[in-house]
Amino acid sequence: MSFCPATYASVTLPTVEPTAHALNTFLASVERRAYRMAQIALRHEEDALDAVQDAMLQLARRYARRPSEEWRPIFYRILQNRIRDLQRRRAVRSRVLAFLPWGGEGEDDSDPVERAPDPAPGPAAEVEGGEIGVALQRAVSLLPARQREAFLLRNLEGLDVAETAAAMGCSEGSVKTHYSRAVHALREQLGEFMS
Amino acid sequence: MSNEQQQTPFERRAGEMLRDSADSLDAATRSRLTQARHAALEGISARPAWLDFRVLAPGGAVAAAAVVAVLMWTGPMQRPAGETGAFDDIELLADADAYEISQETDLDFIECAAAMGEQDVAGT
């Protein structure tokens, strides 16, 4: 029996080290923006860190051997799902608390963080205080979830429409609609300060 | 962004501000993100979870317990009546004559011959 060295040479076997190195580079390149995205959506730093860490773990365990060009939309898909899970958990927690005798007076089904009184002075005062960035983040965090996802994935992470659609699990047409509405809403609130 | 040319100044400005805020995270948060990344990378070289002994062992124990329970529930295997078993085969092999007889197809003739032999013995 004769072996053909050329055939064996052409076979590239997956190895752990190059994958780990490439994945490390990828995660390092997205982790800060991913954290900021989660923090704007959840308005809670610990929850944001948890969401990013879970997304990293899932990407590494399940998708590390997928082609590296697929990592970004997959990572953000996982992250968006995790953010939604955390928001859902908060809503369930508030519903449970509403049944308890010592709590829940006048509670509704919405996210307690969403219902928390906003101590911010509002966009105009923040802009006057030189905090236009804070005002922008606050305005983005108050957008409906899908609009916020589309706006952050496209504007913060820089995904194109197709990648954003893959990350959000919807059609490209939906991405355009959500993004357009988000921009319209933000411009109404902040346009005069950011022009 | 790949389609930056199509963006309005408002969108461009918003994108710049958001990216700046991401780049200016405090040191503690950056450190925790780095730790999270390293923890995630350790997951690549780890074996799949279903191959882990700690996962397999309870499943194996449950399966073994189920087999034992089934065996105890059904009791010892009963051989159907008339069926010859391995023990009978050993007896046949040990007795050369019996083995030869078992190979005969005309059992009526053998029984008849045996009866005649017994009558001869009784007659003598």
Side-chain angles (χ1 to χ4, degrees), chain A residues 11-23 60 64-66 71, chain B residues 41 44-45:
Chain A
V11 175
T12 52
L13 296 172
T15 52
V16 170
E17 277 310 312
T19 303
H21 179 71
L23 194 62
R65 282 165 183 81
R66 296 282 283 268
W71 285 345
Chain B
L41 291 169
I44 297 180
S45 53

Side-chain angles (χ1 to χ4, degrees), chain B residues 28-97:
Chain B
T29 305
R30 289 203 306 268
S31 170
R32 291 184 67 180
L33 286 170
T34 304
Q35 288 171 19
R37 173 162 34 96
H38 290 162
L41 291 169
E42 285 174 11
I44 297 180
S45 53
R47 288 191 308 169
W50 60 271
L51 278 177
D52 194 337
F53 175 76
R54 285 167 295 184
V55 174
L56 289 178
V62 168
V67 169
V68 169
V70 167
L71 288 175
M72 291 178 71
W73 178 263
T74 56
M77 296 285 283
Q78 298 293 326
R79 191 177 353 152
E83 187 177 312
T84 56
F87 190 72
D88 295 338
D89 292 341
I90 291 171
E91 277 188 333
L92 283 172
L93 289 169
D95 184 348
D97 292 339

